């Protein structure tokens, strides 16, 4: 019983540390300047989605290397990271008081972020061999990003 309590405490501390670190990195990422461009279709966008998912892939890969991918710790950590992203995206979207061009770029970025999130979830499902329940929960997390 003592070992299980220690295991639970360590797991809780790890997840709290992951959440704290993710929030710090997201804050730094959102405060950074991102390159702006216009696609050949005329859509305005920034490099934020690619920057965000590059960071996220590194963090998820690091977690994946540390834990058995079928473990609850791995799965819960993935969900924590995605929820931190969701919270940050929503808070930034609500506070967006930029000009019309930046609003258009932010809307286009949001669509790209969702697409990149879906790709990342599919990669996790393939690499981590998640259970049906975990897969369903990941889909819920993605749906909450929209």
């Amino acid at each position: 019983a003592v070992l299980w309590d220690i295991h639970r405490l360590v797991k809780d501390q790890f997840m709290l540390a992951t959440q704290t670190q993710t929030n710090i990195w997201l804050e730094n990422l959102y405060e950074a300047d991102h390159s702006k461009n216009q696609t050949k279709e005329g859509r305005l966008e920034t490099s934020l989605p690619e920057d965000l998912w590059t960071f996220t892939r590194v963090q998820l890969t690091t977690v994946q290397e540390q834990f058995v991918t079928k473990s609850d710790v791995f799965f819960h950590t993935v969900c924590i990271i995605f929820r931190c992203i969701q919270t940050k995206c929503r808070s930034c979207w609500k506070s967006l008081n930029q000009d019309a061009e930046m609003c258009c770029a932010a809307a286009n970025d949001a669509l790209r972020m969702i697409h990149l999130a879906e790709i990342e979830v599919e990669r996790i499902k393939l690499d981590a061999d998640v259970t049906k329940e975990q897969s369903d929960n990941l889909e819920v997390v993605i749906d909450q990003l929209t």
Side-chain angles (χ1 to χ4, degrees):
V2 172
L3 286 178
W4 283 113
D5 288 341
I6 293 170
H7 174 74
R8 185 184 50 76
L9 285 172
V10 169
K11 180 180 91 172
D12 291 348
Q13 287 177 345
F14 174 79
M15 288 194 216
L16 181 61
T18 298
Q19 182 175 358
T20 301
Q21 188 63 52
T22 300
N23 285 329
I24 291 168
W25 285 344
L26 286 171
E27 190 67 33
N28 292 336
L29 183 66
Y30 271 81
E31 287 179 3
D33 286 331
H34 300 280
S35 62
K36 297 165 187 74
N37 67 320
Q38 187 171 2
T39 66
K40 54 186 167 183
E41 296 84 16
R43 286 190 307 272
L44 299 171
E45 60 187 25
T46 72
S47 63
L48 178 61
E50 290 75 19
D51 296 344
L52 175 82
W53 288 103
T54 297
F55 147 76
T56 303
R57 267 185 231 104
V58 168
Q59 193 173 22
L60 292 172
T61 300
T62 301
V63 171
Q64 200 169 0
E65 289 171 353
Q66 300 300 317
F67 294 99
V68 176
T69 54
K70 283 195 174 227
S71 76
D72 283 344
V73 174
F74 172 74
F75 175 73
H76 290 300
T77 303
V78 169
C79 289
I80 286 170
I81 292 168
F82 274 75
R83 285 194 184 103
C84 289
I85 292 169
Q86 172 195 18
T87 301
K88 186 63 179 173
C89 288
R90 286 191 176 163
S91 71
C92 286
W93 182 256
K94 288 178 182 175
S95 67
L96 187 63
N97 291 323
Q98 303 275 340
D99 58 24
E101 284 186 358
M102 284 309 298
C103 287
C104 289
N108 291 328
D109 286 353
L111 292 173
R112 288 190 1 265
M113 280 190 208
I114 292 166
H115 175 71
L116 292 168
E118 290 168 344
I119 291 170
E120 193 61 29
V121 164
E122 290 306 314
R123 186 195 66 79
I124 291 168
K125 286 180 185 179
L126 291 173
D127 291 351
D129 194 27
V130 298
T131 66
K132 170 76 169 110
E133 180 183 358
Q134 290 171 335
S135 177
D136 291 345
N137 287 335
L138 285 171
E139 292 300 325
V140 169
V141 169
I142 289 296
D143 289 342
Q144 291 173 349
L145 285 175
T146 58

